[in-house]
Amino acid sequence: MLQRISLTQFLIGEQRAGRVSADLRLLLEVVARAVKAISVTISKGALAGVLGEAGTENVQGEAQKKLDVIANEILLQANEWGGHLAAMASEEVENVCQIPFDYPKGGYLLLFDPLDGSSNIDVNVTVGTIFSVLKNPAKKDADPVEADFLQPGREQVAAGYAAYGPSTQLVLTVGKGTHAFTLDREMGFFVLTHPYMTVPDETREYAINASNERYWEAPVQRYISELRQGKEGPRGADFNMRWIASMVADVHRVLTRGGIFMYPLDEKTRAKGGKLRLMYEANPMAMLIEQAGGAATTGRQRILDVQPQKLHQRVPVILGSRAEVERVTSYHNV
Ligand code: AHM
Ligand code: MG
């Protein structure tokens, strides 16, 4: 019989190899359980009455979908009692989420975007959960404050996302490669299906919201215009474009078959610093992409080296196949 490696087995292997502590293993198992619960809820869709607006706004002033609120609750409740976390932070919550005082605290900080791409949820397109794990630098018994979270992405001890698509996949790194696990719904656990994913160096596929073209900076205008000129242009090759408007789905495609994903700085988002959030979108995706041999920059700096100033900070994101990311970055640096 085909030997199947479950997420649990994989994590025990990582623990034995000294890359994962017992608490981090528990943390990742709990996140995987929460992701299963979110997957089940999402897949019921209209039957469970979970689609549509929640009628509330989050800290970013964005209208929340019912599923944004449900996914956030599932992640918070699953993770608060295990004793592995010092605190959490969520896209949907303004301040640090403390562990209730009647539960023990651990040494890790968990950050997440509970339901990324939720504008796609009502049209039944792939959405996801993105998460990042840091060590808590503060004393164990003190309640962590925002400053404890403000560590550059290179300090992440684990990062991952779940993609809720035709199948549910959990993509994970603990600092040695990027691995994808597929949820076996009948058995109820994740199975390692894509060990050591690699982003090909070269690509002929790009992802950007082209409706923002008139707001882009000159380096991005130049790069995309060269791609669009295809065989007749300076690149001498045709490029294909894809934009799902679900970062998880777009990055998953890049991880699976290569490509470049861009949400660059533009005049629309300049005042906010960019569109995507540094700490629970850009950083975990950058770690996953780098661990798969790709690159991730803001256009001007490696994402994992950005020193965060605040929890909900936004940054420009350019990630994927190394040669293409380096080219766009070099256009910014001329
Ligand atoms: P969200 O976290 O509120 O869902 O926003 C992030 C999403 C990303 O998944 C996606 O890449 C981007 O926003 C799409 O933005 P746009 O609608 O401007 O194309
Ligand atoms: Mg998001």
Side-chain angles (χ1 to χ4, degrees), residues 62 91 113 115-119 209 212 243 245-248 250 261 263 275-277 281:
E62 298 158 342
E91 177 181 326
D113 176 356
L115 201 63
D116 181 62
S118 55
S119 67
N209 183 341
N212 292 326
W243 185 251
S246 227
M247 187 191 197
V248 163
D250 280 313
F261 167 91
Y263 214 116
K275 156 93 182 189
L276 299 171
R277 274 51 59 111
E281 292 179 326

